Amino acid sequence: MKKENIFIFDTTLRDGNQTPGIDFTVEDKQRISIILDDLGVDYIEGGYPGANPTDNDFFSSAPKLANSKFVSFGMTKRPGRSISNDSGFKDLIAYKTDAICFVAKSWDFHVEKALGCSLDENITSINESVSKAITTHKEVMVDCEHFFDGYKNNKSYAKECVKAAYDSGARWVVLCDTNGGTLPHELKEIVEDICLDVPGANLGIHAHNDTGNAIANSLAAIIAGVRQIQGTMNGIGERCGNADLISIIPTLILKETFNKKFNISVSNDSLKDIRKTSLIIDDIINRAPNKQA
């Protein structure tokens, strides 16, 4: 049986940078990028160009990567505006990264209360953003923010957001457990349902750790069909953190449940450096390593 590929997406420099007490400098981001590239992850999300001076400077002097694809992050176009009248969107897509990842609302409550627009307007923003970005970038991704909460509240609309991104040409549509409250058994059921509409080869998982289930949820999503897994080094991230790639990568390589079916870009030789990678990241953020890890 031919093995499938699982793609590793590292968001240490973007989501990890939202950890309380962490504020990466440009030099920190450059150094971490090279460490991640040497490890061999598929994607390195560098941050949000246009959001702050540090990310602007970092993207203006993007690291030279040998193995990984460099990803920029930002919002879909604003509802009620054309792309030509959305300066933030135009600035974002002007950065010629290997890939671009949009964050889009997929919970109807947030669309109406946070964005203040109609559900249809949000779908239009997703469609138009992806359609434009595929003309400027080789790969386009969409993070469906608060997807699992949205699915539980309005299943048909959450699924419509995923389909809108995929049908518009997104290479990856990422299902985000942004609140970190979904349990593995329910996450697996939901992902299996989404795979009926969108191929798992085009789906990713982005799990937060508020109930301590980020790793379990990420692995459950792979079993259910997704083929991209997002996380951070040492599980850093806002609130309780993100799925920890330092644990996930060895699990995918060493556990027969996964290694008999899947390949990942991190080699067995690179795996030997996983502890060193973890310690270097802790050193950069001036945090004492977890001695029990």
Side-chain angles (χ1 to χ4, degrees):
M1 181 179 69
K2 184 179 179 181
K3 292 185 179 182
E4 296 183 69
N5 292 324
I6 299 295
F7 294 83
I8 307 297
F9 183 110
D10 184 281
T11 182
T12 300
L13 300 180
R14 202 272 302 173
D15 229 345
N17 198 36
Q18 297 184 56
T19 307
I22 292 179
D23 188 14
F24 292 130
T25 65
V26 174
E27 291 73 23
D28 290 337
K29 289 198 167 198
Q30 291 280 1
R31 184 183 177 195
I32 293 171
S33 296
I34 299 305
I35 293 167
L36 297 175
D37 187 49
D38 288 342
L39 183 63
V41 301
D42 294 286
Y43 300 98
I44 299 172
E45 188 173 49
Y48 192 158
N52 57 72
T54 297
D55 279 352
N56 290 346
D57 291 344
F58 178 52
F59 277 85
S60 296
S61 55
K64 301 287 191 295
L65 303 177
N67 303 303
S68 308
K69 294 180 180 179
F70 190 53
V71 186
S72 54
F73 173 90
M75 294 179 63
T76 54
K77 81 167 189 67
R78 297 181 189 178
R81 289 194 183 188
S82 65
I83 284 175
S84 60
N85 287 323
D86 191 329
S87 59
F89 182 89
K90 290 194 295 182
D91 289 345
L92 173 64
I93 64 172
Y95 288 91
K96 302 305 179 185
T97 49
D98 299 311
I100 188 169
C101 183
F102 292 116
V103 60
K105 302 291 186 186
S106 57
W107 186 0
D108 58 347
F109 172 76
H110 277 180
V111 172
E112 295 173 335
K113 299 300 181 183
L115 289 182
C117 70
S118 70
L119 301 185
D120 286 343
E121 284 179 310
N122 183 53
I123 295 295
T124 298
S125 291
I126 295 172
N127 283 328
E128 292 185 359
S129 298
V130 174
S131 296
K132 176 61 178 179
I134 61 175
T135 69
T136 59
H137 289 71
K138 292 181 179 179
E139 283 193 50
V140 177
M141 312 181 198
V142 175
D143 279 3
C144 287
E145 186 181 39
H146 292 279
F147 171 77
F148 293 95
D149 296 293
Y151 181 97
K152 294 173 189 178
N153 192 59
N154 186 337
K155 179 191 301 187
S156 62
Y157 185 72
K159 294 175 73 172
E160 187 179 353
C161 292
V162 173
K163 281 284 288 177
Y166 175 69
D167 291 343
S168 298
R171 166 64 182 91
W172 294 105
V173 185
V174 182
L175 311 178
C176 300
D177 187 29
T178 313
N179 277 335
T182 308
L183 300 177
H185 69 282
E186 57 185 352
L187 182 139
K188 182 174 179 289
E189 292 174 1
I190 293 170
V191 171
E192 287 172 340
D193 183 37
I194 300 303
C195 287
L196 298 176
D197 294 325
V198 174
N202 296 95
L203 293 173
I205 182 69
H206 179 111
H208 285 249
N209 202 40
D210 297 70
T211 54
N213 283 298
I215 294 174
N217 279 340
S218 299
L219 298 175
I222 291 177
I223 292 170
V226 310
R227 295 296 177 258
Q228 185 200 103
I229 191 164
Q230 297 195 355
T232 61
M233 293 292 116
N234 296 334
I236 63 174
E238 60 183 336
R239 303 187 317 278
C240 300
N242 289 39
D244 187 356
L245 292 178
I246 293 293
S247 296
I248 288 172
I249 289 170
T251 300
L252 296 176
I253 293 176
L254 299 175
K255 295 296 184 179
E256 186 179 358
T257 298
F258 298 103
N259 66 30
K260 69 181 180 182
K261 296 180 181 179
F262 305 114
N263 292 313
I264 67 170
S265 57
V266 179
S267 68
N268 285 7
D269 283 341
S270 294
L271 182 61
K272 298 173 184 177
D273 293 328
I274 198 80
R275 180 176 183 275
K276 181 174 72 174
T277 300
S278 174
L279 293 174
I280 291 173
I281 298 297
D282 277 336
D283 181 66
I284 291 172
I285 64 178
N286 196 30
R287 186 176 76 169
N290 177 6
K291 293 182 180 180
Q292 294 175 299

